[in-house]
Amino acid sequence: MSLTEARFHDLVDATQQTLEDIFDDSGLDIDLESSAGVLTVKFENGSQLIFSRQEPLRQLWLAAVSGGFHFDYDEESERWMCDKSEEQLGEMLERIVKQQADVELDFEGL
């Protein structure tokens, strides 16, 4: 656990803001809800993505139709990386959003 609590919160806040911006700019008919560190993305088809911070583990968690994923922040690459597959958050989101909402969005930089 190399991240301080403050840095962890800053990173998650920045990531969630970037996600909100990407979804807002997409033109998709979606609902975004952000409350108590949880960002919920509701697609027109009823499926959801839920991003939540797990402070004790210093992880960002993602719940999707295809499962739950846990991300650790990699200081070297400055990216959130899945703790199982080592896939970057942005890469995984491109695949998951395509599967769930049948749209292609660019999550470059996440």
Side-chain angles (χ1 to χ4, degrees):
M1 230 187 302
S2 61
L3 292 178
T4 65
E5 182 178 341
R7 175 133 169 84
F8 169 73
H9 284 290
D10 288 346
L11 288 166
V12 173
D13 289 345
T15 299
Q16 288 185 338
Q17 185 59 58
T18 299
L19 289 166
E20 286 185 50
D21 292 344
I22 291 169
F23 284 113
D24 279 340
D25 295 343
S26 72
L28 295 174
D29 183 16
I30 57 175
D31 291 322
L32 295 174
E33 182 179 314
S34 184
S35 176
V38 176
L39 174 64
T40 304
V41 180
K42 297 178 183 177
F43 295 104
E44 190 174 9
N45 65 9
S47 70
Q48 298 181 52
L49 298 176
I50 302 170
F51 300 90
S52 61
R53 66 185 75 211
Q54 298 300 314
E55 188 175 324
L57 301 172
R58 302 289 198 270
Q59 288 184 323
L60 176 63
W61 285 11
L62 167 62
V65 171
S66 57
F69 306 94
H70 304 164
F71 295 85
D72 294 307
Y73 191 76
D74 180 61
E75 292 283 0
E76 189 174 316
S77 67
E78 298 183 337
R79 299 279 191 268
W80 291 98
M81 307 293 284
C82 181
D83 67 353
K84 297 282 190 257
S85 69
E86 296 186 13
E87 187 175 10
Q88 291 181 6
L89 175 61
E91 294 171 348
M92 186 178 285
L93 282 174
E94 287 177 11
R95 183 172 40 80
I96 288 173
V97 169
K98 177 68 174 159
Q99 291 170 344
Q100 282 191 219
D102 197 30
V103 294
E104 294 184 17
L105 292 180
D106 183 6
F107 292 94
E108 182 79 25
L110 284 180

